[in-house]
Amino acid sequence: MIGRRRFIAGATLPALASLSPLARAAKGLAWQPAELPAGAVEEAVLEKLPGKVPLIKRTYRPPNFETPIDYLGTEITPNDAFFVRYHLAGIPQAIDAKAWRLKVAGDGARQPVQFDLAQLKREFEAAEIVAVCQCSGNRRGMSIPHVQGVEWGVGAMGNARWKGIRLRDVLNKAGVGGDAVEVAFNGADGPALPTTPDFAKSIPVERALDEHTLIAFEMNGKPLPHWNGFPARLIVPGWTGTYWVKHLTEIEVRVKPLANFWMTPAYRIPAGKFANVDRFPTQETKDNQPITDIVVNSLVTSIRDGERVRRGVPVKIEGIAWDGGRGIRDVEVSVDGGRSWVLAQLGRDLGPYSFRMFHHAFVPKEAGTAVVMVRAFNTRGDTQVSELIFNPAGYHNNVIPRIRLEVA
Amino acid sequence: MRRSFLVAAALALAFGAHAGEEKVRIKEDTGADKVRQNCNACHSLDYIRLNSPFLDEKGWEAAVNKMIKGYGAQIPQADVKPIAEYLGRNYGKR
C-alpha cells in the first residue's frame, strides 16, 4: 500500500529527474500542478489498476486514473500508463470477445446489421492512425476559479497508434440514408442505477463518414486494455475523449440529434467563446455548443517549476505539443518570461493528430530566476493563450506555462 | 451505514470495482450517515474531498440537486439539506 504521506504533490525534487518513471512510481511520488484544489492533492494516491502501472488515482468508483507526467515525455504513451476515465460505475469486469457483438441500426440506416469481432476483422480493410486521446476535462483542476468535476491535472490524455477498421465501411453495410444527421454510440458500460442516463454520445454524420474515424481493436500493437475499451472503441481523431466511446456495442444512425444528458447539458462550452473550434451544428444552441476538437497545446515534461539548475550547464527543455488535427507547425520557447522567443527543434512527425516532441537546450548565463515559457502553433496559426478562458466545465485550458528555474 | 456498505460491496462484486475504495474516509459529523447512504449508491466518496474546498453550502446543494436531476440519483428530498450542510461545513470553501 502506498501511504498518503509518501505521496509528494506539487513539490520540486530535482534529484528525481534522474529516476525512471517506474523508479519514481515505486517511491510513491508524482508531480502535480500547483493550481489543483487542495482536496484533490490530498485525495491523490498512486494506485495500480489491474494491467496498469501505478497511476494517479482521482476516484475509485467509477475509476478515474491519471497518467503521471513522467510517462508523457515520449511520442507514444505506453498502454499500461494510459489514463482511465469512466462516468458510470457499471463496468463489465471482463468482456468475452467471442460473445461480443456490434449492432448497427437506427432510423437513418437502411437496414440493421450485426457483426462479431472476427467478422469485423475479416470483412473490413484494416486502418490505423496515431492520435491523441484527451479527456475534455484534462486540466480541469487547474481552472481558477475551481469548477466541479474530476479534478484532473495534466495527464488525462495520451497518444497511441490505434488500429482497427474505418467506421464508414461498417456504416455503409447498414446504408446511411440521405436524411441522417448524426451517428450515436453506446458501450457495454452503464450506470449503477437504472434511473441514471446511460452514457451514449453522437457525432455529426460527416465526421462518422470521415476516413480517419475508426473502430479500433488495437492500441500500440496490442489488444485494447480493458480499461481503455476492450474489445473495440471509437476513435475520433482530433476530437476530445468524450466521443471515443469504449466497449462499443451499438451504433445508431439518426435522423434527429441525440438528446440525452451526456450531449446536453454535459460537455458544453459557451457559444462563441473559443475561436476556431469545429462546429457541430445539429447540437448547437443560442447559449452553448458541444466541445469538439482539441485546442492547440503543449506540455513541458523535462523540468518542474522551482527546479534548481547551474550556470553554464545546459538545461533540456523538452516536451510534447499537439492539437485537434491541423498539426503542429512550430513550438517556441522563452527563457526570459516571454520577452523573447526562439524556435524549438521538433521531433518526428507521426501525423497531424499525434503528439509532436520538441527540444531546446537552454544554457543559463546569470544567477537568479529564469522564467521558461513554451507555446505551440498549429499549421493554421492557432496558439496557446496567456490568460485562461474560463468556462463552467473547465475545458480547453491551454494557458502558456511559466516555469521558474532557480539558477545558481 | 450498513446499507451503504452493502450497496458498495454489491457493486464491487457486480462490476469488479477497484480495491482501495475501502480506504476512503469522510469526516465524522452530523449528516455523514446520510452522505454514505445516498452518495455511495453511484460513486466512491473520494469525489467529495476531490472537489474541495471551493464550494460553499449553496454550491454543494446545487451539486446534490445536479445528482438528482442530471444523474437520476434517488436521494430523498428531506436528505438534500442535511447533506449540503454536512458538505458545506466539512468540505466547504475555506
Side-chain angles (χ1 to χ4, degrees):
Chain A
M1 188 189 108
I2 296 159
R4 290 215 165 92
R5 281 173 190 287
R6 288 177 57 203
F7 185 87
I8 299 179
T12 52
L13 298 163
L16 282 176
S18 59
L19 293 176
S20 71
L22 274 177
R24 281 190 233 191
K27 287 176 180 291
L29 304 171
W31 171 86
Q32 297 202 74
E35 294 90 337
L36 292 186
V41 174
E42 289 158 16
E43 194 54 57
V45 282
L46 282 169
E47 287 257 7
K48 210 175 161 333
L49 284 169
K52 293 281 182 182
V53 300
L55 301 176
I56 301 171
K57 189 280 301 179
R58 296 289 174 210
T59 67
Y60 284 113
R61 176 172 56 91
N64 286 296
F65 285 70
E66 180 175 330
T67 302
I69 194 169
D70 314 275
Y71 295 97
L72 293 170
T74 52
E75 289 157 341
I76 298 290
T77 315
N79 288 6
D80 60 4
F82 216 91
F83 80 104
V84 175
R85 200 275 180 265
Y86 283 89
H87 289 93
L88 303 172
I91 305 163
Q93 200 158 0
I95 293 177
D96 178 359
K98 288 205 177 72
W100 177 88
R101 297 288 181 276
L102 179 65
K103 287 182 199 140
V104 186
D107 51 13
R110 294 214 173 83
Q111 52 171 358
V113 286
Q114 180 173 292
F115 304 94
D116 62 32
L117 196 57
Q119 271 178 305
L120 287 177
K121 290 182 180 175
R122 195 176 54 232
E123 292 176 17
F124 296 94
E125 189 193 345
E128 63 175 52
I129 195 162
V130 179
V132 176
C133 178
Q134 178 177 249
C135 175
S136 308
N138 193 30
R139 304 189 182 191
R140 174 183 292 119
M142 298 161 73
S143 176
I144 309 292
H146 290 301
V147 295
Q148 279 173 63
V150 177
E151 302 294 334
W152 298 110
V154 297
M157 63 168 193
N159 189 43
R161 185 178 293 276
W162 310 94
K163 186 177 174 190
I165 56 178
R166 289 184 190 87
L167 173 63
R168 73 174 182 197
D169 294 346
V170 176
L171 291 176
N172 285 338
K173 289 279 184 187
V176 177
D179 51 354
V181 293
E182 293 183 1
V183 179
F185 305 88
N186 194 6
D189 49 326
L193 297 181
T195 45
T196 301
D198 190 12
F199 183 74
K201 294 291 291 192
S202 66
I203 58 175
V205 68
E206 297 79 13
R207 194 86 194 179
L209 295 171
D210 186 292
E211 63 172 323
H212 299 308
T213 304
L214 306 185
I215 298 169
F217 315 119
E218 288 181 20
M219 182 175 170
N220 298 327
K222 297 268 167 57
L224 288 168
H226 176 69
W227 304 109
N228 299 105
F230 182 86
R233 82 178 298 174
L234 192 68
I235 306 298
V236 190
W239 282 29
T240 62
T242 184
Y243 300 102
W244 298 42
V245 174
K246 299 189 290 297
H247 314 294
L248 190 61
T249 52
E250 287 172 80
I251 298 176
E252 185 192 16
V253 184
R254 298 178 58 95
V255 299
K256 286 200 184 105
L258 178 64
N260 68 9
F261 174 77
W262 305 105
M263 293 304 293
T264 184
Y267 287 105
R268 294 273 153 171
I269 54 175
K273 203 157 186 182
F274 293 91
N276 276 348
V277 290
D278 285 350
R279 298 275 313 272
F280 191 161
T282 53
Q283 290 284 341
E284 293 170 6
T285 72
K286 183 170 66 64
D287 300 322
N288 58 50
Q289 60 195 88
I291 189 169
T292 51
D293 53 330
I294 299 168
V295 297
V296 63
N297 215 338
S298 62
L299 179 69
V300 180
T301 56
S302 61
I303 53 171
R304 305 279 181 269
D305 187 45
E307 198 163 314
R308 276 180 292 218
V309 298
R310 304 242 306 274
R311 255 189 309 173
V313 179
V315 180
K316 279 194 292 187
I317 298 171
E318 293 183 346
I320 47 177
W322 67 98
D323 82 323
R326 272 80 193 174
I328 295 302
R329 185 190 73 198
D330 295 315
V331 175
E332 293 184 346
V333 177
S334 172
V335 294
D336 56 9
R339 280 198 295 278
S340 64
W341 298 84
V342 293
L343 285 175
Q345 283 180 292
L346 295 184
R348 288 191 298 173
D349 184 356
L350 295 179
Y353 299 102
S354 171
F355 285 159
R356 187 91 187 253
M357 305 273 312
F358 65 85
H359 315 264
H360 177 72
F362 164 49
V363 184
K365 295 204 170 63
E366 292 164 30
T369 303
V371 177
V372 175
M373 298 170 72
V374 171
R375 62 186 184 195
F377 293 81
N378 67 10
T379 56
R380 190 169 57 186
D382 302 336
T383 188
Q384 298 176 235
V385 297
S386 304
E387 299 275 334
L388 181 75
I389 302 175
F390 178 82
N391 62 100
Y395 297 147
H396 287 334
N397 182 339
N398 65 346
V399 175
I400 299 167
R402 295 176 65 87
I403 303 166
R404 290 160 301 180
L405 292 179
E406 302 305 335
V407 185
Chain B
M1 214 158 124
R2 175 172 286 258
R3 197 188 106 219
S4 64
F5 174 77
L6 289 175
V7 168
L11 281 167
L13 283 174
F15 302 122
H18 176 62
E21 183 180 344
E22 70 283 353
K23 285 180 272 185
V24 176
R25 296 279 178 276
I26 60 167
K27 292 176 192 167
E28 289 306 330
D29 188 15
T30 311
D33 54 337
K34 292 210 182 322
V35 169
R36 290 196 186 94
Q37 272 165 29
N38 287 289
C39 309
N40 250 327
C42 297
H43 63 80
S44 48
L45 299 181
D46 45 6
Y47 273 83
I48 295 171
R49 184 161 68 160
L50 179 74
N51 277 277
S52 74
F54 55 89
L55 296 169
D56 56 14
E57 188 189 314
K58 219 175 126 195
W60 276 117
E61 189 171 335
V64 175
N65 281 317
K66 184 181 166 189
M67 294 301 152
I68 297 170
K69 294 194 183 95
Y71 293 85
Q74 302 295 296
I75 302 173
Q77 204 50 48
D79 286 357
V80 172
K81 200 80 188 163
I83 290 172
E85 283 169 4
Y86 166 87
L87 294 171
R89 211 162 45 238
N90 292 285
Y91 296 94
K93 209 170 187 168
R94 285 172 206 160

